[in-house]
């Protein structure tokens, strides 16, 4: 799974890579390291970046790029419109439950 530095590099594609909530990112990464379920790993990172606003700017774009990168690495087809909807729904509905986010991520896979 992705490291803190890899996430910073993804964010740098959209902004400056400045972390403003490092404790939340560290917590997400520790949870990522405690599960082998790659969708759950992605869920922890998604929640941390979107809900806890890990970066100063570009959090939504970072999550979109992260999800796409992971799905492409796994060679899975996905619906980009569903990724946009997933990001919007998590933010608007303030979804923090990892199991719900996990189901939402599974929904973007074709």
């Amino acid at each position: 799974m992705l490291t803190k530095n890899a996430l910073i590099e993804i964010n740098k594609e959209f902004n400056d890579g400045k972390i403003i909530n490092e404790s939340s990112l560290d917590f997400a990464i520790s949870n990522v390291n405690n599960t082998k379920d790659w969708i759950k790993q992605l869920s922890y990172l998604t929640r941390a970046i979107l809900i806890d606003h890990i970066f100063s700017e570009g959090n939504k774009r970072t999550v979109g790029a992260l999800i796409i990168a992971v799905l492409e690495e796994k060679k899975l087809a996905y619906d980009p419109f569903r990724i946009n909807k997933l990001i919007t729904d998590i933010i608007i509905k303030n979804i923090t439950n990892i199991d719900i986010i996990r189901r939402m991520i599974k929904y973007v896979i074709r």
Side-chain angles (χ1 to χ4, degrees), residues 53-79:
H53 305 285
I54 299 299
F55 297 102
S56 61
E57 291 289 330
N59 290 289
K60 293 184 284 290
R61 290 171 283 173
T62 300
V63 165
L66 172 64
I67 292 170
I68 288 170
V70 170
L71 295 177
E72 288 183 353
E73 178 183 302
K74 301 281 183 193
K75 297 185 182 351
L76 296 169
Y78 58 89
D79 183 339

Side-chain angles (χ1 to χ4, degrees), residues 11-77:
N11 182 263
K12 281 184 178 179
E13 292 178 29
F14 311 107
N15 198 38
D16 60 8
K18 182 180 177 190
I19 296 174
I20 60 170
N21 193 342
E22 193 156 6
S23 62
S24 179
L25 181 56
D26 289 340
F27 177 76
I29 290 174
S30 73
N31 282 302
V32 163
N33 293 330
N34 288 328
T35 181
K36 293 183 190 245
D37 178 347
W38 68 268
I39 299 176
K40 196 167 196 174
Q41 293 173 341
L42 188 54
S43 301
Y44 277 111
L45 294 172
T46 297
R47 191 199 72 73
I49 296 168
L50 288 179
I51 300 299
D52 297 339
H53 305 285
I54 299 299
F55 297 102
S56 61
E57 291 289 330
N59 290 289
K60 293 184 284 290
R61 290 171 283 173
T62 300
V63 165
L66 172 64
I67 292 170
I68 288 170
V70 170
L71 295 177
E72 288 183 353
E73 178 183 302
K74 301 281 183 193
K75 297 185 182 351
L76 296 169

